[in-house]
Amino acid sequence: MALLQLDRLTLRFGGLTAVNDVSISVERGQIFAVIGPNGAGKTSVFNAITGLYQPSSGCVRIDGRTVRALPEPADVVRWGLVGLATGLGAAVAINANTLWDAAINQSAHLQPFPWSTSWNALVASALQGPWTTVPLAIGAAIGVGAAWNAWRMGRCTPDAVARAGVARTFQNIRLFRDLSALDNVLVGMDRHLHARGWDAALRLPRHRREERDARETALRELEFVSLGTSAHLPAGSLPYGHQRRLEIARALATRPSLLLLDEPAAGMNPAEATKLMELIKRIRDRGITVVLIEHHMKVVMGISDRIAVLHYGNKIAEGTPAEVRANPQVIEAYLGKEELG
Amino acid sequence: MIPSVLSVASVASVASVARLSAFLLVALLPAIDLLLPTTWKFASLVPAIMVYAIIGLGLNLITGFTGLFNLGSAAFMAIGAYTFAILTCPIYPFQIGFFPGLLAATAMGGIAGLLLSLPVMRLRGDYVAIVTLGFGEIVQDVLKNLDAVTKGTQGLNPVAVPAMPGVSFSVGNYVPWYYLYLVLLIAVVWLCHNLRYSRLGRSWVAVREDELAARSMGLPTPWIKQIAFALGSALCATGGAMFASLAGTSIEPGFYDFQQSVIILCIVIVGGMGNITGVLLGACIMVGFNSIVLTKLTEMMSRNGWTGDNVLASPGNWKFMLYGIALILMMRLRPKGLLPAKEVPAELRYRDRDRDRDKAPAGAN
């Protein structure tokens, strides 16, 4: 089965159709390139895959399944609890003075304090009149409404997609600039770490061992993209080409089965581009399927197993590099129509 | 290359020497204070600084690490102080004592923070500030109007003082307070430091730096922000309870107003957002200026008879003018705070190398 499948994907923003009825399927272990002139909708496709945009119609399947973050029972339960807390809170807040007077202030002078009498007085006072039931009912309504809304709004979110095994880089580099290169990679690894907050807060041995192992793995990941020597520099201070590679390392650290690269060779000189091609091949050799958007034709033709061409949101061609290169529609999209006569 | 390595090493050692001597000074201050002439003794005012340092560290988790602008920290201080006061005040039957009261106040602050963070978690920047600002006003009004519970503007008193075998905590003797609060402060610093350099702290900074990228790496960003909010609020509430115990009263609701929140925010900004040492320094500067420098100045002026009808004759009236000027100068000269974040040595190294690289083509031409 195809690892990534776009099934008649359409994205509309107001009156503008950015992606129109595009179907693509990417097999495991492929390097798949999406090319097309500027504004063809390539990045929009990536954003739809990673859950930043919701498809207007059609769907994205990863490993045969549509990713959907919600409805998770936990989230619905959480909103139910919020409603309950609101109701109780409102009931208590409205009656706090009366309740406190009945339960505490009336018998505060007694020694020892009569807890059971006080509790009975509290309950009796709470059951009196509509000021308890009305806020409780309102709270219950809020809780049910919010839980229902959480259910209805259930959609695929970027974190759910990432947890399903899809990692990406961004066209305009989005690193955590104040964190060191190593920490950037460690953030990528986060979903494979298990230490809880209190382990960390008290520096329990479990947490320290996990951190040490994680650091080693992260360092190996940095060495994989030849950034081992820059591990402790802030990401924002790295040169541009290094930042691009660091973003790839961070994405690889999530241990994805599918890696989306958005213009990885942008702004690179020919030597750097050649090294990047090597890197992408090595990523593929690790068993990771790669989908890339690229304008650098040497890179695209050199490494891709298959290429899809987008033009004004429509897929106009798909095939091996040789097929795409020979396709008249593609030539027209890139170079314009030949003038006759 | 060699000079840059040297400068990095010296920066590091200067910092550690400074830190060690600061610690020794703080640890020995009560002894040093004995040697000072009576009019210049000030160590009894220092526990308040430690309390504000803890509150500042709490806000630092929210605003410094996670980048959520919180203008309602005084409200959490109030929640802590009033929870502590209700549970320990002799007019109510609970009277659970100092340490259980402190824990209860912390838990209450955490719960309140968690609840407030639910509507906040999808917001960012200015919007979080507006929500927390509103929350601050609500808490003040609630405390004022729940007079059966909180005694309105009178405040609740007396509240519990710490009870430890062999040590008596009283208003007259500040030394036990000093060391107890110092120990609590060190514990909080240790916790915050551990959290910052853990999985959770990295996620907080990642959310601050680029929430979308963090989310695309699989981090559940709403939940991460909620944890920061809950923990930070819990620490603010701890500080509020400690302050109440030190003052002997929950103080009145009007004390926990917007100005209080701004002072706490200034503590975080002045020292350097997201830097633990910076927050400690900020607390020393902001609260030290207010409760030590201005107090001593007032005493000195009244000793010398420099009083009069002029508004400037009372140093308390200069306070906010000086705060304002200080903030303007800060924002102009050191917008990242007095002590920028820890990445400094690495940045220095980069700048050196960068300069070399920039020079190279010029030389070639």
Side-chain angles (χ1 to χ4, degrees):
Chain A
M1 186 197 298
L3 178 62
L4 170 70
Q5 208 172 6
L6 305 185
D7 191 7
R8 311 198 60 173
L9 179 73
T10 302
L11 286 174
R12 281 189 214 95
F13 302 103
L16 179 79
T17 305
V19 177
N20 186 21
D21 214 18
V22 169
S23 298
I24 288 175
S25 84
V26 180
E27 299 295 330
R28 263 174 211 288
Q30 275 185 343
I31 296 177
F32 192 102
V34 179
I35 62 171
N38 288 328
K42 306 180 295 290
T43 299
S44 297
V45 169
F46 268 27
N47 287 345
I49 297 172
T50 48
L52 292 174
Y53 297 159
Q54 305 303 315
S56 309
S57 70
C59 70
V60 176
R61 285 201 203 87
I62 293 155
D63 221 1
R65 289 184 308 119
T66 320
V67 178
R68 210 171 138 84
L70 299 170
E72 268 171 20
D75 219 71
V76 178
V77 167
R78 190 162 73 203
W79 283 107
L81 283 179
V82 171
L84 197 65
T86 316
L88 276 177
V92 169
I94 289 174
N95 299 301
N97 274 335
T98 341
L99 292 178
W100 195 269
D101 271 333
I104 306 283
N105 288 351
Q106 291 221 339
S107 29
H109 58 280
L110 298 174
Q111 283 293 341
F113 190 78
W115 288 105
S116 60
T117 325
S118 155
W119 175 252
N120 291 339
L122 178 75
V123 174
S125 167
L127 294 179
Q128 235 172 29
W131 289 114
T132 308
T133 42
V134 169
L136 270 182
I138 293 174
I142 291 175
V144 170
W148 180 74
N149 196 43
W151 186 278
R152 191 179 59 94
M153 294 290 285
R155 60 205 183 98
C156 118
T157 54
D159 47 331
V161 175
R163 285 192 291 270
V166 180
R168 72 172 292 179
T169 65
F170 295 89
Q171 186 176 1
N172 45 345
I173 302 171
R174 305 188 75 133
L175 289 166
F176 310 122
R177 299 177 59 85
D178 270 4
L179 285 176
S180 70
L182 189 69
D183 277 349
N184 268 274
V185 177
L186 283 168
V187 170
M189 283 175 62
D190 192 78
R191 74 187 186 93
H192 299 289
L193 303 180
H194 304 288
R196 316 290 308 187
W198 52 84
D199 295 335
L202 303 174
R203 284 183 73 76
L204 298 182
R206 181 160 38 139
H207 166 253
R208 276 188 296 189
R209 201 174 324 123
E210 189 182 69
E211 277 291 299
R212 202 179 50 229
D213 294 348
R215 268 166 201 284
E216 274 171 24
T217 318
L219 209 53
R220 271 205 301 280
E221 211 61 81
L222 280 175
E223 276 157 11
F224 183 78
V225 297
S226 354
L227 283 177
T229 50
S230 313
H232 297 288
L233 295 176
S237 75
L238 294 176
Y240 181 81
H242 291 201
Q243 291 196 12
R244 284 236 170 260
R245 289 212 301 271
L246 177 57
E247 229 192 358
I248 294 176
R250 183 180 69 177
L252 286 174
T254 66
R255 291 186 221 157
S257 48
L258 176 65
L259 177 64
L260 308 178
L261 301 175
D262 199 342
E263 299 201 18
M268 287 191 176
N269 62 34
E272 285 175 322
T274 314
K275 272 171 76 183
L276 179 78
M277 284 164 67
E278 289 304 313
L279 177 63
I280 294 175
K281 278 184 193 154
R282 281 190 291 138
I283 293 172
R284 193 252 327 262
D285 294 342
R286 280 168 65 167
I288 297 168
T289 311
V290 179
V291 178
L292 74 157
I293 292 175
E294 193 47 76
H295 282 302
H296 206 295
M297 278 308 145
K298 189 168 150 248
V299 173
V300 170
M301 295 300 168
I303 60 173
S304 308
D305 297 313
R306 284 185 79 75
I307 298 174
V309 188
L310 293 187
H311 188 43
Y312 290 121
N314 296 297
K315 187 173 91 172
I316 55 171
E318 189 188 327
T320 61
E323 286 166 10
V324 166
R325 206 189 321 234
N327 187 312
Q329 266 184 303
V330 175
I331 295 167
E332 189 188 313
Y334 269 90
L335 300 177
K337 213 181 179 119
E338 196 176 353
E339 288 279 345
L340 291 176
Chain B
M1 195 65 205
I2 288 163
S4 77
V5 168
L6 278 180
S7 74
V8 169
S10 60
V11 163
S13 63
V14 163
S16 63
V17 166
R19 207 165 290 168
L20 186 70
S21 42
F23 179 76
L24 281 178
L25 182 68
V26 171
L28 298 176
L29 188 59
I32 298 169
D33 203 52
L34 290 175
L35 305 174
L36 291 174
T38 322
T39 47
W40 292 108
K41 288 192 191 303
F42 68 94
S44 62
L45 302 169
V46 173
I49 298 182
M50 298 176 184
V51 170
Y52 272 94
I54 288 178
I55 297 169
L57 286 169
L59 183 63
N60 186 45
L61 292 188
I62 303 172
T63 304
F65 292 163
T66 320
L68 302 166
F69 212 62
N70 183 349
L71 284 177
S73 39
F76 294 101
M77 203 180 154
I79 288 173
Y82 271 89
T83 308
F84 181 78
I86 288 170
L87 290 177
T88 64
C89 185
I91 62 168
Y92 293 132
F94 312 105
Q95 298 175 29
I96 60 174
F98 179 83
F99 289 104
L102 202 59
L103 279 182
T106 307
M108 198 65 192
I111 292 169
L114 197 62
L115 285 179
L116 179 64
S117 71
L118 285 172
V120 166
M121 68 187 181
R122 300 201 188 278
L123 306 177
R124 225 188 127 79
D126 310 345
Y127 303 100
V128 180
I130 292 167
V131 171
T132 49
L133 179 67
F135 181 73
E137 298 301 311
I138 289 172
V139 167
Q140 247 189 91
D141 271 352
V142 166
L143 289 177
K144 254 177 222 155
N145 289 310
L146 274 184
D147 46 3
V149 187
T150 64
K151 303 293 173 223
T153 51
Q154 293 171 33
L156 287 164
N157 63 73
V159 301
V161 295
M164 284 160 92
V167 193
S168 88
F169 286 81
S170 64
V171 182
N173 182 13
Y174 74 91
V175 177
W177 297 96
Y178 187 97
Y179 284 107
L180 176 65
Y181 280 19
L182 183 59
V183 168
L184 288 173
L185 174 61
I186 290 172
V188 170
V189 166
W190 185 70
L191 281 180
C192 287
H193 184 269
N194 287 349
L195 282 174
R196 168 61 187 85
Y197 295 99
S198 76
R199 178 183 169 210
L200 194 57
R202 277 196 303 268
S203 312
W204 285 338
V205 179
V207 167
R208 180 188 75 197
E209 295 288 305
D210 193 327
E211 191 172 343
L212 178 71
R215 203 153 196 206
S216 297
M217 294 301 119
L219 300 185
T221 49
W223 179 232
I224 286 168
K225 289 199 269 185
Q226 280 177 351
I227 297 176
F229 224 95
L231 284 181
S233 311
L235 281 182
C236 288
T238 316
M242 286 166 69
F243 197 77
S245 181
L246 192 65
T249 160
S250 67
I251 320 184
E252 53 119 6
F255 175 73
Y256 305 99
D257 58 357
F258 181 58
Q259 268 178 11
Q260 194 70 231
S261 298
V262 170
I263 289 176
I264 299 169
L265 190 64
C266 286
I267 289 175
V268 177
I269 292 177
V270 164
M273 285 234 229
N275 182 345
I276 292 172
T277 323
V279 174
L280 300 181
L281 185 69
C284 289
I285 292 173
M286 296 299 294
V287 186
F289 175 71
N290 188 19
S291 70
I292 297 178
V293 178
L294 285 185
T295 315
K296 292 294 166 197
L297 207 60
T298 314
E299 284 174 19
M300 197 187 80
M301 286 174 72
S302 69
R303 263 204 313 279
N304 294 324
W306 297 350
T307 48
D309 297 336
N310 194 329
V311 278
L312 290 179
S314 159
N317 293 340
W318 311 348
K319 184 166 80 177
F320 286 105
M321 190 176 73
L322 290 178
Y323 279 176
I325 294 173
L327 268 190
I328 291 171
L329 288 179
M330 280 296 300
M331 287 299 144
R332 179 67 189 79
L333 301 175
R334 302 208 62 158
K336 282 195 158 183
L338 291 177
L339 297 178
K342 227 198 154 187
E343 282 76 19
V344 168
E347 263 177 17
L348 283 178
R349 211 176 321 169
Y350 172 66
R351 283 205 194 109
D352 283 346
R353 204 194 48 197
D354 204 30
R355 216 176 301 131
D356 295 343
R357 201 185 52 186
D358 289 348
K359 268 185 206 147
N365 291 336

